[in-house]
Amino acid sequence: MENKKIPIGTYGYINEMKQKSRTNMMVYFVFAVGLFVGSYLLMKTILNAFTVAAIAMLIPAFQGWKQYMNICPFNSCSVEEFKKISEIVQGKFFIVLLSDLVLSSTKGEMMLNMAVIYNNNIYGYAPKQNHSVEEIEELLSEILSEEKVLLKKPVVHDDFTNFEEMILMLAANEPSTQQDVGRIYHQIESCCL
């Protein structure tokens, strides 16, 4: 069986990260507890090298727990919403659709359920979270200001209908400038969990 990793920006990335974090956390935790209990039962003391190894095994377990707790509050958008937008942009070489982006900043983690890169700008959909749409737009502006590729201010919607209407409008028009999607994607990817 081949283990394929879902890349950042692909639908289902959040679910895969949650599953991977849970699995890693549990494997290391169970192994550490087993090593600790086994060495105690075998040697009748906790003062041995296996206790130190068991404690060291807890470090990756806690790292997995921390990663899981960072992404736990976020979920992918519904399959129907994703299919609607992907059908709109299908065949449009000038529009790039990203999904499941958890952006990390000093203000905390912010989720973009979907984002479209079009005409060197970002248009996002971010419903139901602790951060306002304005905060997410500000973070996107900060992330991309280093590359100096944005022509306009990023636009983020918290209502799917408004987001869908905007994507329909964008899909009807070809971009006016040469796109640099690769640089925009890599800049966003570098700030994602």
Side-chain angles (χ1 to χ4, degrees):
M1 186 168 101
E2 192 175 317
N3 187 10
K4 293 183 179 179
K5 182 181 176 185
I6 297 177
I8 293 174
T10 307
Y11 187 77
Y13 176 77
I14 296 271
N15 295 336
E16 180 184 288
M17 287 302 295
K18 285 181 182 180
Q19 181 62 35
K20 185 191 266 186
S21 297
R22 271 194 308 259
T23 302
N24 286 345
M25 174 179 57
M26 293 307 295
V27 165
Y28 281 112
F29 183 74
V30 168
F31 190 70
V33 169
L35 185 62
F36 179 77
V37 170
S39 69
Y40 178 74
L41 292 175
L42 187 64
M43 298 182 184
K44 304 294 184 215
T45 181
I46 62 170
L47 302 175
N48 58 56
F50 293 110
T51 301
V52 174
I55 291 169
M57 293 296 282
L58 290 175
I59 294 170
F62 285 121
Q63 287 174 337
W65 176 79
K66 179 183 170 194
Q67 184 178 28
Y68 179 74
M69 294 311 288
N70 283 339
I71 62 172
C72 184
F74 304 113
N75 294 306
S76 299
C77 60
S78 71
V79 176
E80 294 81 23
E81 290 175 342
F82 183 75
K83 281 184 180 178
K84 280 183 180 180
I85 300 301
S86 62
E87 287 172 1
I88 293 170
V89 302
Q90 185 176 9
K92 309 287 185 192
F93 67 92
F94 50 88
I95 296 178
V96 175
L97 174 63
L98 302 173
S99 182
D100 292 3
L101 298 170
V102 180
L103 303 169
S104 182
S105 75
T106 56
K107 296 179 182 177
E109 283 73 31
M110 300 177 195
M111 173 79 179
L112 270 176
N113 287 57
M114 282 187 274
V116 167
I117 302 174
Y118 169 82
N119 206 15
N120 288 340
N121 203 16
I122 302 256
Y123 302 90
Y125 171 55
K128 299 178 248 172
Q129 57 182 297
N130 295 334
H131 298 281
S132 69
V133 169
E134 291 78 20
E135 288 176 311
I136 298 170
E137 289 173 347
E138 181 182 324
L139 176 62
L140 285 171
S141 293
E142 288 175 18
I143 291 170
L144 297 171
S145 66
E146 298 167 10
E147 289 295 318
K148 296 183 175 77
V149 291
L150 284 181
L151 302 175
K152 303 174 232 164
K153 180 180 177 238
V155 178
V156 178
H157 293 281
D158 57 1
D159 179 56
F160 181 74
T161 307
N162 292 340
F163 179 68
E164 183 181 21
E165 288 172 1
M166 176 173 279
I167 301 308
L168 281 167
M169 182 189 71
L170 295 175
N173 302 306
E174 295 226 6
S176 59
T177 61
Q178 182 72 19
Q179 295 215 76
D180 199 354
V181 174
R183 281 181 29 193
I184 294 172
Y185 172 73
H186 291 299
Q187 195 67 18
I188 289 175
E189 180 186 39
S190 69
C191 296
C192 286
L193 293 179

